[in-house]
Amino acid sequence: SVSDKTQKITVTAARLGDDDQRRLSTAAKMVFGRDELDRNVDSTIGEILKRLPGVTIGGRPGRGGDIRMRGLGSGYTQVLVNGERPPRGFSLDTIAPDQVERIEIYRAPVAEFSTQAIAGTINVILREDYQQRETQVRISDAIEGGRHAPNLSVSHPGELGGLSYVLSALVFQNRQRSEVTREEVGLDPQGQTILDQTVFDDSMRRTRGVQLAPRFSYRAQSGDMFVLQPFVMQTVSESLGNSALNQSVGSTAPYNTAHWSADAGNAVARLFSTWQHRFDNGGRLTTKFGAGSGTSHSDTARYQYGLDGAMRNTILDTNSVNDHSANTGAKYTYSLGGGHALALGADGEWSWRSQTRTSLDNGAPQFVESGENLNAQTRRLASFVQDEWDITPQWAASMGLRWEGITTTSDRPGSSLTNQTSVWSPVGHVVWRIPGAQKNQIRASLTHSYRAPPLADLIAVPVLSPDNSPTRPDRIGNPELKPEMSTGVDLAFEHYLTQNGIISASLFKRSIEDLIRRQTTLVTTSSGQRWTNQPFNIGHATTSGIELEAKFPVTEFLPGAPVIDVRSNFSRFWSQVDGISGPDNRLDQQPTMTANLGMDYRLGGMPLTLGGNLNWTPGYMVQTSEFQASTAGIKRQFDVYGLWKFTPSLQLRLSANNLVNSNYLTGSSLVQGVVNQSATISALTYTVWTAKLEMKL
């Protein structure tokens, strides 16, 4: 007889790689997982993002800044955390890279997320589904000009029945110096110099903070999954600074020397939860709830002295802000069979802000509302439908429609203002996988998106300049702002390599209505005439560009070559604002191009990896109005690193960021009537040396 034999079959499932997730996505999505996040010794998410295709970071090299896509300025790029808009005042720099599972970049909006994404969407996914097994300890120290920035993070996993958890904590300290030289020149109508002024500011700041980011997930016997992820962060900082003003030509200078000190604190608490239920018919319901609260305060004292050493001004500024938010939503997805899926959803978000700002110059209020309380409320409601269909093995499409309504109300003594926005956004994405060339595909998208005016531009408490001038104006809001509306077209070709890698080229164009642009004018205030910068809707603009990307191992083309991975991308941007004369009538803060080139080399026979990255953005000028212009100097940031893996549980990373560390130059000018004034700003940058030890216990 033949005996029965039991055959054991083991099935293992691995998460799709970054390139596979990108290839199979119907929307134009790029995915960067832990391999990319762990590549360098990055202390902030901004340092990671600046190397990714089409992403630029504002501000001086090595110091971070606002995150931008397609070269567009602040507000055009949507930044999400776990698919949600973070609470007001929240910064990605408060999230340690160790807490991130992956970063998704959408070049065109999708109905599932808010369509406030004219330039695109960056979605930071925290490590919710990550099944950590060991306690992980990371110790690092970054040195900038001899100033240390130690950092310690600990992450400890555990299980209790159906409950699994990861307890994460981070403590850090950072010391930074800022040295900025500002030169102001004014000319009369005959071209004679009537103002020649140089201001040198030198300040030191120390920041300390702690973050707690535990995660709890529970899987019931029914298969339902519940995830709870709190996030708590608190930072405090102290600053000391000196200013010296040298004026060789012009009327009496506002001061000769100045000293200031500032204390600031910021605390954020956020709770994010999801519940997922699968129905017998294959449908899946995901509900979510989140709440956030944040407080910030700052106290600044500035003392200004004349040439004779006598005190001229004592300027005291106190600002206190309290933010609270809540959001909820639900999404139902159902498979119609044959690679066809339908998703329906709705979201709601509510936020409240209370702000009190007191600004006194020699005891006198600097603006009418000084010391009064400002209250603001924002309500955002949204609903969407999204249909994804793998029509044939070659064709896939995603069509969606999203509605969003935003109501902002502000109350201050003697006035109440309301601003309402309602936007319908149809979006469509198509992928054609070329027959006979399964690794080649073409993407096309036609979408509608918008940019809502930020709360600070609608109802901002005045931000006063201590040295008010055409190039250093006060900043105020405008409650009459309307949202910018954009119709966009995207087209891309992607070639996936045999090994992990991709070569792609993409084109985009955006037509923007009701463009918001800040303009500087001379106005009469309670304290006399002052130059004031205020946002307005000024009309129509267009922007377009081409983005090239190549990411590959050298062995893809040269078998037997050293194990070197190459990462490169290049973007070229064009834009034009109607109603402003050229040739530099570009969208604000948009460079003409940007590029990255990076390499990683794994030495044979040694547990050592070496790598580096060069980030380059040329200088550019923007004609911001018929009378105003701004300039930004060239940015070159060269970073290198080395990674030594002693054991699978112990590794050391050494890095040097911003090795070039050349001065960062910016400028502005205003020529209107008899006023002809320009400013050039030179800010020192520094090389940052970092050592990071990672242990698994």
Side-chain angles (χ1 to χ4, degrees):
S1 63
V2 179
S3 61
D4 295 332
K5 294 183 179 180
T6 301
Q7 184 178 19
K8 182 179 180 181
I9 300 176
T10 301
V11 179
T12 59
R15 173 174 292 179
L16 291 174
D18 297 351
D19 291 340
D20 290 332
Q21 293 185 60
R22 175 176 178 176
R23 179 174 57 85
L24 296 175
S25 172
T26 308
K29 178 175 74 172
M30 295 179 287
V31 179
F32 303 92
R34 288 307 315 176
D35 287 345
E36 178 65 31
L37 302 181
D38 288 335
R39 195 179 302 278
N40 287 27
V41 193
D42 297 304
S43 58
T44 66
I45 294 178
E47 291 295 308
I48 298 171
L49 291 174
K50 74 174 186 292
R51 296 192 299 270
L52 305 185
V55 179
T56 55
I57 305 296
R60 69 188 75 169
R63 286 292 175 88
D66 56 306
I67 300 167
R68 309 171 183 177
M69 292 178 61
R70 269 67 191 277
L72 296 176
S74 305
Y76 288 100
T77 299
Q78 176 175 236
V79 178
L80 306 176
V81 178
N82 288 339
E84 299 294 322
R85 299 175 66 86
R88 187 179 298 121
F90 184 85
S91 170
L92 278 186
D93 285 345
T94 64
I95 300 178
D98 296 336
Q99 299 171 344
V100 178
E101 174 63 20
R102 67 184 184 277
I103 296 175
E104 301 174 341
I105 296 181
Y106 294 83
R107 284 176 164 161
V110 294
E112 179 181 357
F113 301 138
S114 172
T115 53
Q116 294 190 65
I118 292 178
T121 297
I122 296 175
N123 187 21
V124 178
I125 307 296
L126 301 181
R127 303 180 86 160
E128 292 180 359
D129 298 328
Y130 174 64
Q131 299 300 314
Q132 183 175 318
R133 299 301 179 188
E134 308 95 350
T135 298
Q136 298 182 0
V137 179
R138 296 175 173 87
I139 304 171
S140 68
D141 187 22
I143 303 175
E144 179 192 273
R147 296 171 292 275
H148 291 260
N151 182 304
L152 170 65
S153 69
V154 179
S155 184
H156 174 70
E159 292 184 3
L160 291 173
L163 175 69
S164 62
Y165 61 86
V166 178
L167 306 178
S168 300
L170 169 71
V171 292
F172 66 91
Q173 180 172 270
N174 191 17
R175 291 184 177 91
Q176 290 184 330
R177 183 178 184 181
S178 179
E179 298 174 87
V180 179
T181 301
R182 180 186 184 91
E183 297 182 2
E184 296 262 4
V185 175
L187 305 176
D188 65 13
Q190 289 73 43
Q192 299 297 313
T193 301
I194 57 175
L195 175 66
D196 191 343
Q197 180 186 97
T198 301
V199 180
F200 176 70
D201 291 323
D202 185 0
S203 62
M204 295 286 293
R205 183 179 64 183
R206 183 179 71 162
T207 302
R208 292 162 291 164
V210 59
Q211 297 176 24
L212 302 176
R215 175 185 60 83
F216 306 91
S217 60
Y218 177 75
R219 184 178 296 277
Q221 292 183 351
S222 62
D224 288 8
M225 172 68 79
F226 179 74
V227 176
L228 183 68
Q229 185 158 7
F231 177 86
V232 179
M233 180 271 295
Q234 183 173 22
T235 62
V236 294
S237 67
E238 305 92 28
S239 302
L240 293 173
N242 298 292
S243 180
L245 188 154
N246 179 23
Q247 183 168 294
S248 58
V249 179
S251 57
T252 303
Y255 65 92
N256 177 249
T257 60
H259 309 290
W260 74 87
S261 62
D263 296 305
N266 184 35
V268 173
R270 183 179 66 87
L271 178 67
F272 179 78
S273 63
T274 61
W275 171 67
Q276 188 177 102
H277 174 73
R278 293 184 181 272
F279 296 92
D280 294 337
N281 63 358
R284 183 176 63 186
L285 176 65
T286 302
T287 60
K288 58 186 179 181
F289 172 78
S293 181
T295 62
S296 64
H297 74 273
S298 63
D299 297 289
T300 303
R302 181 182 174 95
Y303 307 96
Q304 298 186 157
Y305 303 86
L307 194 61
D308 56 359
M311 183 180 294
R312 286 189 177 179
N313 303 79
T314 298
I315 301 173
L316 303 177
D317 187 278
T318 300
N319 189 30
S320 177
V321 179
N322 292 287
D323 283 310
H324 305 282
S325 65
N327 66 82
T328 186
K331 181 177 71 170
Y332 176 74
T333 57
Y334 178 69
S335 175
L336 302 175
H340 195 180
L342 184 68
L344 304 169
D347 299 299
E349 179 184 355
W350 297 263
S351 63
W352 302 266
R353 164 172 283 200
S354 175
Q355 180 178 10
T356 302
R357 184 164 193 166
T358 303
S359 188
L360 304 175
D361 186 345
N362 287 338
Q366 287 194 283
F367 56 93
V368 175
E369 299 89 353
S370 176
E372 296 182 349
N373 192 52
L374 167 68
N375 294 298
Q377 305 86 37
T378 300
R379 182 190 67 197
R380 183 181 66 86
L381 301 176
S383 59
F384 72 90
V385 57
Q386 187 166 286
D387 184 8
E388 296 196 24
W389 188 12
D390 291 332
I391 304 171
T392 70
Q394 280 72 47
W395 287 94
S398 174
M399 303 297 168
L401 178 66
R402 185 180 182 91
W403 171 82
E404 293 190 35
I406 301 176
T407 301
T408 301
T409 304
S410 67
D411 298 294
R412 66 175 66 188
S415 67
S416 179
L417 302 171
T418 299
N419 187 290
Q420 292 183 312
T421 295
S422 180
V423 179
W424 288 93
S425 298
V427 297
H429 307 272
V430 176
V431 177
W432 178 45
R433 300 178 178 101
I434 301 175
Q438 62 179 1
K439 294 185 178 296
N440 295 342
Q441 58 188 32
I442 294 176
R443 297 183 180 275
S445 301
L446 178 61
T447 57
H448 184 272
S449 55
Y450 75 107
R451 178 197 177 206
L455 183 65
D457 279 354
L458 288 171
I459 54 175
V461 172
V463 178
L464 304 183
S465 170
D467 184 14
N468 188 264
S469 70
T471 55
R472 299 192 74 178
D474 302 337
R475 291 173 67 90
I476 62 174
N478 180 0
E480 304 299 326
L481 287 178
K482 297 183 291 184
E484 299 180 12
M485 300 292 183
S486 171
T487 299
V489 177
D490 293 80
L491 184 66
F493 169 79
E494 298 172 346
H495 172 66
Y496 291 86
L497 304 176
T498 303
Q499 303 179 41
N500 290 331
I502 183 174
I503 297 175
S504 71
S506 62
L507 307 170
F508 74 90
K509 185 170 185 178
R510 300 287 187 269
S511 177
I512 303 173
E513 300 290 345
D514 293 322
L515 177 73
I516 298 174
R517 174 66 58 86
R518 300 194 72 96
Q519 297 182 346
T520 299
T521 55
L522 186 64
V523 300
T524 300
T525 70
S526 59
S527 57
Q529 286 194 322
R530 295 182 67 89
W531 290 97
T532 302
N533 186 261
Q534 186 177 23
F536 296 94
N537 294 105
I538 65 170
H540 176 262
T542 58
T543 180
S544 58
I546 179 171
E547 296 173 308
L548 307 176
E549 178 188 6
K551 183 179 66 173
F552 56 89
V554 174
T555 53
E556 174 81 23
F557 304 103
L558 297 173
V563 184
I564 297 176
D565 294 329
V566 176
R567 295 165 284 109
S568 62
N569 53 77
F570 172 81
S571 302
R572 177 71 167 91
F573 308 117
W574 296 267
S575 60
Q576 178 176 308
V577 177
D578 296 353
I580 298 178
S581 302
D584 298 308
N585 55 341
R586 308 175 54 78
L587 287 176
D588 197 19
Q589 304 178 50
Q590 186 185 48
T592 57
M593 63 188 75
T594 185
N596 279 285
L597 175 62
M599 296 185 183
D600 307 290
Y601 174 40
R602 294 186 294 278
L603 278 71
M606 297 180 64
L608 177 63
T609 301
L610 302 175
N613 192 87
L614 176 62
N615 174 263
W616 170 79
T617 302
Y620 60 93
M621 173 181 284
V622 174
Q623 191 71 35
T624 55
S625 74
E626 288 296 322
F627 313 108
Q628 300 167 248
S630 63
T631 59
I634 187 172
K635 291 177 67 173
R636 293 181 296 256
Q637 186 162 341
F638 181 45
D639 307 331
V640 296
Y641 78 94
L643 169 62
W644 187 285
K645 293 187 177 182
F646 299 101
T647 69
S649 301
L650 181 65
Q651 61 185 29
L652 175 66
R653 298 171 182 267
L654 301 175
S655 72
N657 291 338
N658 194 31
L659 281 171
V660 177
N661 71 7
S662 56
N663 291 3
Y664 180 55
L665 302 177
T666 56
S668 61
S669 63
L670 188 145
V671 181
Q672 183 178 12
V674 297
V675 178
N676 184 341
Q677 192 159 326
S678 61
T680 302
I681 303 170
S682 176
L684 267 65
T685 68
Y686 307 88
T687 298
V688 180
W689 304 87
T690 304
K692 186 174 187 179
L693 182 67
E694 303 179 26
M695 297 175 286
K696 297 179 181 179
L697 307 178

